Amino acid sequence: MPKIVDHSERKSHIAEATWRVIMNQGMKGATVRNIAQEAGVSLGALRHYFSTQHELIAFAMNLVKERVDVRINALLTLDLPPKQLITKILMELIPVDDHTMAEMEVWFAFVFHRKYVGDHYDEVDDGVYSAIHMLVGYLHEQGLLRQGLDKDNELERLYALVDGLALHAMLEPERLDKQRILRVVTSHMDSICNE
Amino acid sequence: MPKIVDHSERKSHIAEATWRVIMNQGMKGATVRNIAQEAGVSLGALRHYFSTQHELIAFAMNLVKERVDVRINALLTLDLPPKQLITKILMELIPVDDHTMAEMEVWFAFVFHRKYVGDHYDEVDDGVYSAIHMLVGYLHEQGLLRQGLDKDNELERLYALVDGLALHAMLEPERLDKQRILRVVTSHMDSICNE
């Protein structure tokens, strides 16, 4: 009987090896050969799942986003009051522990590689802008967005705040710990929401 | 009679060549040899001014910061009302034209090189945090910071907003043009300042 292989799990395993290679050696170390070695699979086996390096990198990056989506979907089941729910979702978009910090580092390495090396990965998007678009729309629909605030402007402001905090948490983790980030996000939510 | 050479001008000329090399080839292309070639000087001449690549990169990065400082100091002479002055200073920290976009690209390439390659450049700091620390302190002293706001929290929030906008302006310039950035910064200043 042939061995039963969980293809989805195998692909995730290779994607996670890709993250580790990017964290340790940067994007330029993320060759198919290095990734196969890190994952402990043969080049042939890796090529069975991903025919090109591009396809592998795109998959590994989309998996970062999917992991965040899973955590956000778990929050949505908790039946929290809107303001508290949105604050918790925003905190998922900012690296506040070793695990999310690793995701963010991999993501930023990828984004800057894409920018400076000029590789095209149009199929990859972190989804933060569209997530915040949805959250601000939800606040507005629920009548929670403070009167006089412009929805579109608040979207741009919150998006910049979240990515700015994410960037600083990654580059300056000594100053910007989880408590400090939560305080900033909470005070911002208070400032844009009705009592 | 020996030729009179303006050493400071010569060093700036080499630093600007360094920026161009970083923009075109990334940090890993920023070798002493490539930079000498871009600047149109001999390796020996370059070594006369900068004995190591590290020293040259540090100088080139500090020059980015100095150029921003010069523009901010020019604003300080304009005798503007505090809120308007601070808004203009914040806009100098966000890339809104080709010139400042180039500075930002060079700066981010350097910051990510430092983070991922692990080179130590303790002598280089973009000064944005300390600039915003000063600006929020000034608002507070002038009695312009809205009552109930925490100075320390507003510093962190404004710092994240400015760097988030800078990051997005660089990565998503089609959506985030100067007018849109100014609108976000102005609305944020209105929200933290007394009427």
Side-chain angles (χ1 to χ4, degrees):
Chain A
M1 226 179 89
K3 227 175 17 171
I4 293 163
V5 176
D6 182 333
H7 291 291
S8 160
E9 197 180 299
R10 184 64 78 90
K11 285 179 84 170
S12 296
H13 171 77
I14 295 170
E16 287 168 8
T18 307
W19 301 348
R20 289 193 298 277
V21 170
I22 293 173
M23 284 189 66
N24 294 327
Q25 305 177 48
M27 282 296 289
K28 70 172 180 293
T31 61
V32 174
R33 194 170 297 272
N34 285 344
I35 293 165
Q37 193 180 11
E38 174 71 29
V41 301
S42 70
L43 261 182
L46 190 145
R47 289 237 163 82
H48 174 71
Y49 293 104
F50 304 101
S51 55
T52 63
Q53 188 212 22
H54 184 100
E55 201 184 306
L56 169 53
I57 299 285
F59 180 85
M61 292 305 125
N62 277 321
L63 192 62
V64 175
K65 186 186 158 188
E66 275 173 36
R67 294 279 165 96
V68 178
D69 285 348
V70 166
R71 294 200 300 271
I72 289 176
N73 285 328
L75 290 173
L76 293 175
T77 66
L78 293 184
D79 201 26
L80 294 166
K83 198 165 92 176
Q84 199 183 337
L85 172 65
I86 291 176
T87 302
K88 276 186 183 291
I89 292 175
L90 294 174
M91 290 299 287
E92 289 294 338
L93 304 173
I94 301 168
V96 290
D97 57 33
D98 288 353
H99 188 76
T100 53
M101 188 68 85
E103 288 175 357
M104 188 66 59
E105 294 206 358
V106 167
W107 190 266
F108 267 107
F110 169 72
V111 166
F112 279 84
H113 171 81
R114 178 163 64 177
K115 172 148 187 73
Y116 288 108
V117 179
D119 285 357
H120 292 287
Y121 284 89
D122 296 336
E123 69 276 40
V124 183
D125 164 25
D126 69 359
V128 174
Y129 184 78
S130 53
I132 291 181
H133 190 280
M134 198 197 67
L135 296 177
V136 173
Y138 177 68
L139 278 180
H140 180 69
E141 281 161 27
Q142 298 285 313
L144 287 170
L145 200 63
R146 211 176 270 253
Q147 245 189 338
L149 294 185
D150 178 80
K151 211 172 59 165
D152 179 61
N153 193 61
E154 293 311 317
L155 157 61
E156 204 65 75
R157 189 158 71 119
L158 185 54
Y159 180 41
L161 182 73
V162 164
D163 267 358
L165 286 171
L167 183 71
H168 295 159
M170 192 175 71
L171 296 174
E172 303 158 63
E174 298 80 14
R175 194 192 71 247
L176 203 55
D177 62 13
K178 184 175 181 174
Q179 285 317 307
R180 198 167 165 88
I181 293 168
L182 181 60
R183 204 167 130 237
V184 175
V185 172
T186 302
S187 73
H188 188 76
M189 285 299 292
D190 286 344
S191 79
I192 67 171
C193 291
N194 293 318
E195 300 304 314
Chain B
M1 223 178 91
K3 225 175 17 172
I4 292 163
V5 176
D6 182 331
H7 290 290
S8 160
E9 196 180 302
R10 184 64 78 90
K11 286 179 84 169
S12 297
H13 171 76
I14 295 171
E16 286 167 10
T18 306
W19 300 348
R20 290 193 299 277
V21 170
I22 293 172
M23 285 190 65
N24 294 328
Q25 304 177 49
M27 281 296 288
K28 70 174 182 292
T31 61
V32 173
R33 193 170 298 271
N34 285 345
I35 294 165
Q37 193 181 10
E38 173 70 30
V41 301
S42 70
L43 262 182
L46 191 145
R47 289 236 165 80
H48 174 70
Y49 294 104
F50 304 100
S51 55
T52 64
Q53 188 212 21
H54 185 101
E55 199 184 308
L56 168 53
I57 298 285
F59 180 85
M61 293 305 126
N62 277 322
L63 191 63
V64 175
K65 186 185 159 188
E66 275 174 35
R67 294 278 164 95
V68 178
D69 286 348
V70 166
R71 294 200 301 270
I72 290 176
N73 284 329
L75 289 173
L76 293 175
T77 64
L78 293 184
D79 200 25
L80 294 166
K83 196 164 92 174
Q84 199 182 337
L85 171 65
I86 291 175
T87 302
K88 276 186 183 292
I89 291 174
L90 294 174
M91 290 298 288
E92 289 295 338
L93 304 174
I94 301 168
V96 290
D97 57 34
D98 288 352
H99 188 74
T100 52
M101 188 67 84
E103 288 175 356
M104 188 65 61
E105 294 206 359
V106 166
W107 190 267
F108 266 106
F110 168 72
V111 166
F112 279 83
H113 170 81
R114 178 163 63 176
K115 172 150 186 70
Y116 289 107
V117 180
D119 286 358
H120 292 286
Y121 284 90
D122 296 336
E123 68 275 42
V124 183
D125 164 24
D126 70 359
V128 173
Y129 184 79
S130 53
I132 291 182
H133 189 282
M134 196 197 70
L135 296 177
V136 172
Y138 177 68
L139 277 180
H140 180 70
E141 281 162 28
Q142 298 284 313
L144 286 170
L145 199 64
R146 213 176 268 254
Q147 243 186 343
L149 295 184
D150 179 79
K151 210 173 60 168
D152 179 59
N153 193 62
E154 294 311 317
L155 157 62
E156 204 64 75
R157 189 157 72 118
L158 185 55
Y159 180 42
L161 182 74
V162 164
D163 267 359
L165 287 171
L167 183 71
H168 294 159
M170 193 176 68
L171 295 174
E172 304 159 63
E174 298 81 13
R175 195 191 71 246
L176 203 56
D177 61 12
K178 183 175 181 174
Q179 284 317 307
R180 198 165 165 89
I181 293 169
L182 181 60
R183 202 168 132 237
V184 174
V185 172
T186 302
S187 73
H188 188 76
M189 285 300 291
D190 287 344
S191 79
I192 67 172
C193 291
N194 292 319
E195 301 303 313

